[in-house]
Amino acid sequence: MDLTKIPQIKHTASNNFFLLSGPCAIEGETMAMRIAEHIVTITDDLKIPYVFKGSFKKANRSRLDSFTGIGDEKALKILRKVSETFKIPTITDIHTEQDAAIAAKYVDILQIPAFLARQTDLVVAAAETGKTVNIKKGQFMSPDSMKHAVNKVTETGNEQAIITERGAMFGYQDMIVDFRGVPTMQQYAPVVLDVTHSLQQPNQSSGVTGGRPALIGTMARAGIAAGVDGLFIETHFDPANAKSDGANMLDLSLMKKLLTDLVALRTVVNQF
């Protein structure tokens, strides 16, 4: 995968990690623009290659009454406006083969959710759009097994594949990251650590996923020390009232300090 082939991505010569970050779901234009502007300012200052993340719909919800989106086209148009306004690439989840062609008209990277990482038709449909494809490792999959997911992308002739580690199930209601898998998966594609989803506590009796956001800094630093190529961090200026995954998102006000520390750590790691 060649990072420079992602449209509008900046600072690729900085030798920094790249960042996928934004809200879990697009809740509206004002919130998306506010979050994007804040992160763009920080990443430009720190020379971090940045991709704005936002789901145009959430199909894998625990409860029937959970928030799923503001409307597919409306959310996708907001993603395109973010890209056009700030001159940055964008990424969104897809859940069906039909989603691939639709979303590809608006965003630069198509993301395969972890629960769907083995869905051949979905992965192939994403790859055939020619867009970069970010495959989240299933919570039930081994690092070695991700080579087959990547092959589904590359065998279409699309070399633009990314793997995102987002933890493995540890019992019923916790996640754990095995950093031994990072170099294994880097044999197949660049590896991103999904910091915030790795700290989820799923399958709560309430039907609302919990999380441990106080450990975001710890998890992110561990990822940089382990040599990941990129980080995935969901963020919101009001996590307590976010409509999706608020329990494990980073408060936007903490983003600058965290990224500054991570860039400093990356500089040290690059010396080894």
Side-chain angles (χ1 to χ4, degrees):
M1 201 279 288
D2 184 350
L3 194 66
T4 65
K5 290 185 178 180
I6 299 174
Q8 301 193 95
I9 196 157
K10 303 178 181 70
H11 312 304
T12 55
S14 66
N15 207 20
N16 262 327
F17 56 90
F18 62 95
L19 177 68
L20 312 179
S21 185
C24 179
I26 299 298
E27 301 172 9
E29 182 177 315
T30 300
M31 67 85 70
M33 298 293 281
R34 176 178 172 182
I35 293 170
E37 182 177 26
H38 188 84
I39 303 175
V40 165
T41 300
I42 297 167
T43 53
D44 278 347
D45 183 52
L46 295 173
K47 302 295 186 288
I48 299 171
Y50 172 53
V51 180
F52 178 82
K53 183 270 168 186
S55 297
F56 76 96
K57 67 177 176 182
K58 301 298 294 183
N60 51 340
R61 301 288 83 190
S62 297
R63 292 181 1 188
L64 185 61
D65 62 350
S66 295
F67 174 79
T68 58
I70 59 174
D72 294 359
E73 187 176 16
K74 183 177 180 180
L76 286 166
K77 285 182 176 179
I78 291 171
L79 283 163
R80 182 161 62 189
K81 184 170 182 178
V82 167
S83 179
E84 292 173 347
T85 301
F86 299 106
K87 308 298 186 226
I88 55 173
T90 55
I91 178 173
T92 199
D93 307 81
I94 59 172
H95 301 86
T96 68
E97 297 94 280
Q98 293 76 20
D99 284 348
I102 295 168
K105 297 175 183 177
Y106 295 89
V107 303
D108 304 291
I109 304 176
L110 300 178
Q111 181 164 283
I112 309 299
F115 286 124
L116 302 177
R118 290 186 57 174
Q119 295 297 104
T120 299
D121 289 347
L122 177 62
V123 176
V124 170
E128 288 179 340
T129 67
K131 299 289 185 177
T132 298
V133 181
N134 180 32
I135 310 171
K136 286 199 165 186
K137 183 175 76 64
Q139 300 93 321
F140 45 87
M141 294 175 69
S142 70
D144 273 321
S145 69
M146 288 304 295
K147 65 185 172 186
H148 305 298
V150 171
N151 285 344
K152 292 174 185 179
V153 176
T154 58
E155 288 177 12
T156 71
N158 185 342
E159 297 295 326
Q160 290 293 103
I162 302 170
I163 299 171
T164 292
E165 167 64 62
R166 53 95 71 240
M169 289 302 299
F170 187 67
Y172 289 118
Q173 294 178 319
D174 209 355
M175 310 291 298
I176 191 167
V177 173
D178 182 356
F179 287 100
R180 296 175 301 176
V182 172
T184 297
M185 293 186 290
Q186 284 175 325
Q187 298 175 74
Y188 320 129
V191 173
V192 171
L193 174 63
D194 184 340
V195 176
T196 45
H197 286 95
S198 295
L199 295 168
Q200 280 186 331
Q201 294 178 311
N203 301 319
Q204 299 296 314
S205 59
S206 64
V208 178
T209 298
R212 304 183 69 185
L215 294 176
I216 287 173
T218 299
M219 185 65 72
R221 290 190 296 271
I224 295 299
V228 297
D229 302 286
L231 295 176
F232 181 109
I233 302 173
E234 287 189 340
T235 185
H236 197 287
F237 47 80
D238 187 10
N241 291 301
K243 295 184 178 181
S244 179
D245 277 2
N248 54 269
M249 279 199 280
L250 178 71
D251 191 301
L252 188 63
S253 66
L254 303 176
M255 183 66 77
K256 183 176 182 178
K257 175 65 165 60
L258 176 62
L259 292 180
T260 300
D261 290 348
L262 294 176
V263 167
L265 180 59
R266 171 75 172 212
T267 300
V268 175
V269 171
N270 285 344
Q271 297 175 13
F272 292 95

